[in-house]
Amino acid sequence: MVGTFAVQNNMPELPEVEVSRLGIAPLLEGATLLGAITRCPRLRAELDPELGRCLAGATITAVRRRAKYLLIDCRRAQSRGTLIIHLGMSGSLRFVTPDTPAQTHDHVDLVLADRLLRYRDPRRFGLVVWHDGDDVDRHPLLAGLGPEPLDAGFTGEVLHAALARRSQAIKPALMDASLVVGIGNIYAAEALFRAGISPLRAANRIARPRCAALVDAIQATLRDAIRAGGSSVRDYVHSDGGAGCFQLQCAVYERAGEPCLGCGHPLRQIRQAGRSTYYCPHCQR
DNA sequence: CGTTACCCCTGGAGGC
DNA sequence: TGCCTCCAGGGGTAAC
């Protein structure tokens, strides 16, 4: 049976968004949208009540990701456009059968011939907006974004140059989307631990070789998380509704006071730019 | 220009 | 049982 399965149920950082993309793409690409149902006036941005009119009759040509934005490219006889979806802090996407009643916080349904793609977001920090035209990269939401961390072009040299004028701590710098996209609070901490760099270190005081090590750590951390998420999503699909969401093994995140996996010393929690940071003062310099 | 503070919003956890 | 405070994966904007 088609059933209902969660494509994504966790905190959406880049890996979770990528796992969502991998989960929905096979069912969306090539499909025709019949319309959309919206149930609330605004998320992070205003939610167009006429969204269904933009989508009706459109064929989905690709499901892409830029930073933490999902991009659903659509084509009609005379026009192209892209649906931009962001999951915010609490968003999720799920395929449901057409007769599945909507619950609180189920804000948008994309209507396909035999199922709905249901967008749910309790905190409403996410968004769903339509971009007319084939140049979504020029949309204000995307125009100012920095490089993708998993692209081959994101090298230690690129990171080193980007950090050159930054005296702020490396951890909040890594979370700045104009510098590099997709690195959220969890993976910033995890990647810095993996690279042995203190989250408090001034960004412009990290030498080239350590920037290269940091890029390696960022990419390895993100790839591992995507791989873990991908396998669990497959499990979850087959488990038909079970609680099979993947759990990422974090080395430092939310492990304050617990022993460091490298040296055994207790991990520390501090606050940087209003966000919790976890690290090992002994291993990270 | 770089950097921080605050805001958007709901829900869960823990203290009293 | 309630009511209060604090905290949470993001990110845009105003203000220093």
Side-chain angles (χ1 to χ4, degrees):
Chain A
M1 83 179 230
V2 174
T4 70
F5 63 89
V7 171
Q8 187 276 333
N9 248 348
N10 301 64
M11 42 290 193
E13 288 206 31
L14 184 148
E16 290 73 21
V17 177
E18 181 64 13
V19 168
S20 284
R21 188 187 73 78
L22 293 168
I24 64 177
L27 287 162
L28 289 184
E29 287 175 350
T32 297
L33 286 162
L34 303 184
I37 299 163
T38 59
R39 301 189 186 85
C40 84
R42 63 177 296 116
L43 301 170
R44 187 173 106 207
E46 196 171 324
L47 191 49
D48 182 2
E50 300 299 309
L51 182 65
R53 237 183 273 279
C54 300
L55 299 178
T59 297
I60 296 171
T61 56
V63 180
R64 300 181 290 141
R65 178 188 58 75
R66 174 75 171 108
K68 294 172 191 163
Y69 292 93
L70 285 168
L71 306 176
I72 301 179
D73 292 328
C74 298
R75 185 191 64 217
R76 283 201 286 205
Q78 305 294 331
S79 62
R80 287 172 185 273
T82 300
L83 189 65
I84 305 171
I85 298 178
H86 196 286
L87 300 175
M89 292 261 262
S90 56
S92 62
L93 290 166
R94 168 186 305 255
F95 282 107
V96 299
T97 52
D99 59 347
T100 308
Q103 298 182 303
T104 312
H105 310 308
D106 287 344
H107 303 307
V108 182
D109 288 345
L110 301 186
V111 183
L112 302 168
D114 61 342
R115 69 192 81 198
L116 309 172
L117 182 60
R118 180 158 286 171
Y119 176 91
R120 173 182 178 81
D121 184 9
R123 290 179 75 178
R124 281 184 268 147
F125 286 171
L127 56 79
V128 178
V129 294
W130 174 253
H131 172 79
D132 237 332
D134 60 2
D135 56 348
V136 71
D137 286 343
R138 302 240 279 271
H139 191 282
L141 288 165
L142 308 181
L145 294 177
E148 287 287 331
L150 293 176
D151 275 1
F154 184 62
T155 63
E157 195 61 35
V158 166
L159 180 61
H160 187 263
L163 296 178
R165 286 174 193 159
R166 300 256 179 169
S167 59
Q168 72 174 158
I170 182 62
K171 195 262 193 169
L174 280 185
M175 294 174 66
D176 183 339
S178 66
L179 200 152
V180 56
V181 300
I183 303 175
N185 204 37
I186 295 177
Y187 298 114
E190 294 297 314
L192 285 167
F193 173 77
R194 207 150 169 160
I197 297 171
S198 167
L200 294 160
R201 174 166 288 275
N204 58 7
R205 296 207 172 176
I206 302 174
R208 279 185 176 79
R210 302 193 80 200
C211 281
L214 181 51
V215 167
D216 287 346
I218 289 166
Q219 295 183 338
T221 303
L222 295 176
R223 288 207 175 97
D224 284 355
I226 292 169
R227 192 158 48 236
S231 62
S232 76
V233 165
R234 279 193 295 277
D235 292 346
Y236 193 55
V237 170
H238 296 311
S239 76
D240 191 25
C245 295
F246 84 100
Q247 288 186 322
L248 180 78
Q249 284 293 90
C250 288
V252 291
Y253 186 77
E254 285 192 326
R255 292 196 64 232
E258 295 177 42
C260 170
L261 300 177
C263 71
H265 285 75
L267 299 173
R268 190 171 294 173
Q269 176 179 10
I270 59 173
R271 273 191 104 68
Q272 290 182 287
R275 313 294 294 274
S276 280
T277 297
Y278 303 84
Y279 72 110
C280 175
H282 188 254
C283 294
Q284 295 176 250
R285 295 288 161 175

